[in-house]
Amino acid sequence: MRREAFFLPGSVGQRLVLLYSPEPAERPRGAVVYVHPFGEELNKSRRMAALQARAMASAGYMVLQIDLLGCGDSSGDFGDATWEAWLADVKLASAWLQERTTAALWLWGLRSGCLLINEAAHRMQGPVNLLFWQPVVSGKQFLQQFLRLKVASEMLASDGKGVMERLRGQLRQGEAIEIAGYLLAPALAQGLEQADLLLPHRSGRVEWIEISGRADASLSPAATARLTQWQAAGQEARGTAVSGPAFWQTTEISECPALLEASLRALSEVGPA
């Protein structure tokens, strides 16, 4: 397994990418693009993403991780990010990888990254498979939860009346909002709010994996309902639940070995391109 770090030219500035590759003599079994989650969840999940990328590369897959515009070590600040710019970054990473291998393409997302890869897949011409880690089903609901961080902080300093309405009004008027150290631009908020985990691109398959703190892990009702709907529509989709910590939000950096194993099984069942 080899690991390289470099920059790709984006629509604005550069994007840091990490490429994990199998040994040169191996023909890649698949090409995987990883899309990280939103805000602080990105930092909490870096270790798990790196562990999974290494495991995938050791199993014969090419894996490209990209820091989206305004995130990590890529160009720009978080306040510069828009939903369309992030979709362009997913396209950029996918095209770069597909220029170097004809292996089957997988888009792998965590949390809000699943909303991005699903929408990006709909815009692609060729076949694409999707690996969802604990997907956010509704961008509108996720944005509401993010805004509540600001509401909670302001309620400590005042009576908190009408805070949510005021925040949404600022966004509608084109004003950015600072939340938990992140400057949220109206264009990003609007794109996130409109995003939904709709029926995926039917050219490939979907592997939906959720993590539960219970020993007898099972899929959430939302996951079961969505997968049942997709399967009835003819989509090849499967859900899996594993036991482990919610590493994207734990106080300490944590790992979920069962998730790593389940993800490798999900990819390997497709077989070489």
Side-chain angles (χ1 to χ4, degrees):
M1 189 276 291
R2 298 172 299 157
R3 178 181 178 272
E4 305 170 66
F6 51 94
F7 288 95
L8 293 179
S11 55
V12 177
Q14 296 181 315
R15 305 293 177 270
L16 177 73
V17 296
L18 298 176
L19 176 65
Y20 296 80
S21 305
E23 293 304 316
E26 292 185 63
R27 178 173 179 266
R29 300 179 63 189
V32 184
V33 173
Y34 170 68
V35 179
H36 60 72
F38 191 92
E40 195 59 26
E41 291 185 357
L42 161 62
N43 298 320
K44 297 282 189 179
S45 59
R46 278 199 184 277
R47 176 159 178 77
M48 273 296 293
L51 289 173
Q52 186 68 81
R54 290 175 190 146
M56 288 177 176
S58 296
Y61 295 87
M62 288 184 69
V63 184
L64 191 69
Q65 298 181 324
I66 181 169
D67 282 355
L68 303 172
L69 173 65
C71 301
D73 292 313
S74 285
S75 297
D77 297 318
F78 193 83
D80 300 321
T82 68
W83 194 254
E84 282 298 321
W86 281 0
L87 286 168
D89 287 348
V90 178
K91 180 181 179 181
L92 170 70
S94 301
W96 188 92
L97 204 53
Q98 287 184 299
E99 287 173 359
R100 285 152 182 84
T101 178
T102 58
L105 177 64
W106 281 86
L107 298 183
W108 157 34
L110 169 61
R111 303 281 291 143
S112 57
C114 297
L115 293 171
L116 274 167
I117 65 171
N118 192 46
E119 188 167 342
H122 275 286
R123 301 186 183 194
M124 293 182 180
Q125 300 298 318
V128 55
N129 303 295
L130 300 173
L131 173 62
F132 292 153
W133 272 12
Q134 201 73 25
V136 170
V137 174
S138 168
K140 182 176 182 178
Q141 185 178 56
F142 184 83
L143 177 63
Q144 184 82 355
Q145 293 169 348
F146 189 60
L147 291 176
R148 282 180 185 146
L149 295 176
K150 183 70 170 179
V151 172
S153 66
E154 294 206 6
M155 286 183 69
L156 294 176
S158 64
D159 59 11
K161 290 183 179 179
V163 176
M164 183 65 76
E165 291 77 5
R166 176 170 57 79
L167 293 176
R168 289 192 170 277
Q170 287 178 243
L171 290 172
R172 285 193 297 270
Q173 293 169 16
E175 299 178 30
I177 300 172
E178 188 278 323
I179 303 176
Y182 293 90
L183 191 63
L184 178 65
L188 180 56
Q190 182 180 13
L192 176 61
E193 187 168 36
Q194 293 175 349
D196 196 7
L197 209 61
L198 302 174
L199 183 67
H201 194 301
R202 297 191 190 184
S203 62
R205 65 182 296 169
V206 176
E207 293 288 345
W208 179 314
I209 307 179
E210 288 190 337
I211 302 92
S212 170
R214 299 168 55 95
D216 56 339
S218 60
L219 289 172
S220 65
T224 300
R226 195 64 57 111
L227 287 167
T228 299
Q229 179 187 38
W230 292 352
Q231 291 162 357
Q235 175 68 51
E236 187 177 2
R238 181 177 64 171
T240 305
V242 298
S243 298
F247 58 87
W248 59 91
Q249 63 182 18
T250 53
T251 303
E252 301 293 331
I253 301 300
S254 55
E255 301 175 12
C256 181
L259 176 60
L260 304 178
E261 296 168 6
S263 299
L264 280 181
R265 285 196 303 270
L267 267 64
S268 64
E269 289 183 5
V270 176

